[in-house]
Amino acid sequence: MSKEINIGLVGIGTIGSGVVKILNKNKELIEKRTGISINIKKVCDVKLDNAKELGLKDEQLTKNYEELINDKDISIIIELIGGYNPAKDIILKALKAKKHVVTANKALIAKHGKEIFETVKENNVTIAFEAAVGGCIPIIKSIKESYAADNIKRIYGILNGTTNFILTKMEEGMSYSEALKKAQELGFAESNPSFDVEGKDAAQKLAILASLAFNANITEDIFTWGITKLNKNDIDYADQLGYKIKLLGIAKNENGEIELRVHPTMLPKNHELANVKNELNAVYIIGENITKAMLYGKGAGQLPTATVVLGDVIDIAKGKNDIFYFKDIKAKDINKIKSRYYLRYLAMEKPGVLAKITKVLGDNQISIAAVEQKEINKETVPIIMTTHEATEENMMKSVKEINKLDIIKEDTVVIRIENIS
Ligand code: HSE
């Protein structure tokens, strides 16, 4: 006999509509496969036109979320409105009313996870949020369940579909703005695309993954650089040097000290992550026991994301009752992090230019690995350098000094190089 589960859905936008579409099509299949019969008891949103178009009946619709929370028949609330408010209120009230919650709300989990997980514990219910990170990739389940017996050491993630799409299209010859426009048309970008291109969306997702992988309360803001300063030249130079540029979320746990950062990163061309294209996301995990694993798939989009929302509903209906365990761990000071660097200067074409730049680097203990300048008959020329390992502190100090030199005509572009083993 199937187990009947009544759900309340808050938010009938892109992903919420996807949940209804999938249930309209696959409800019986889900029931046969899992023994769970999922019924949409009530849907709440400020606009309900979508819901009517999807065949939901008037008695299933409301603009008042309290109706879902007070409904004794509803055992799981799905929150898909996103943002902080009123999503936080809805989730906390649902948990306090002893309802399980499924959400795709990365911003809320990243910022208010601690309070939400405490409320989960106090009320002996659970929360699942697979769709918050990596679209349809089951990365949270992998970290929390499949790899629960391991010590995860490092995570490298392509966590934002929009920026990966832009970087891929730039490799193919499109300009940055053309590629961003296309990503918006295809519906990958956040309503405010600066969240994507400035790396904030990836940073929220990285915070969630790192907190689960390292059992850490991530309280600091993650060091975040976006892709807005990159241009086609950087992509071409990277290619010549044997690298591809990806916006990576990087989390490392070295002897209990956590390093977290999001920035454009040069990866060896033959690395698996370097070949993740378009809006696809991928997470590369290094653990003591598993050694390495890479999960890869659509990081955005209606049906891929709605599918894992329903996967969470099915897990909870089957009795999954996740617990969340976190310690206060301080993240490493970004200034102390070591990396190799790519630098692109726009400099005057005149005697002594290289000497001035290399003096600043040398004075800051930075060793140059390679230099390239093409013969171009112009007043200003790009100069490309890669360095050996240096601290972030020394590099930022050098770049600041170099940008002030009279021979430098634009802010220097800095890209960190990561050789992922
Ligand atoms: N704007 C996000 C992205 C959507 O581009 O990946 C999924 O979180």
Side-chain angles (χ1 to χ4, degrees), residues 106 131-132 135 159-163 188-190 196 201 205 281 299-301:
K106 60 207 157 192
L159 299 171
N160 182 268
T162 302
T163 45
F188 312 138
E190 297 295 301
D196 296 298
D201 174 79
K205 293 168 179 167
N281 281 195

Side-chain angles (χ1 to χ4, degrees), residues 114 117-118 120-121 144 148 151 210-217 322-329:
K114 197 169 182 216
F117 298 134
E118 276 165 10
V120 162
K121 196 172 169 192
K144 277 202 69 58
N151 279 316
S211 65
L212 297 173
F214 307 148
N215 303 107
N217 278 322
D322 260 347
I323 57 166
F324 298 91
Y325 157 61
F326 301 111
K327 301 171 281 191
D328 286 325
I329 301 179

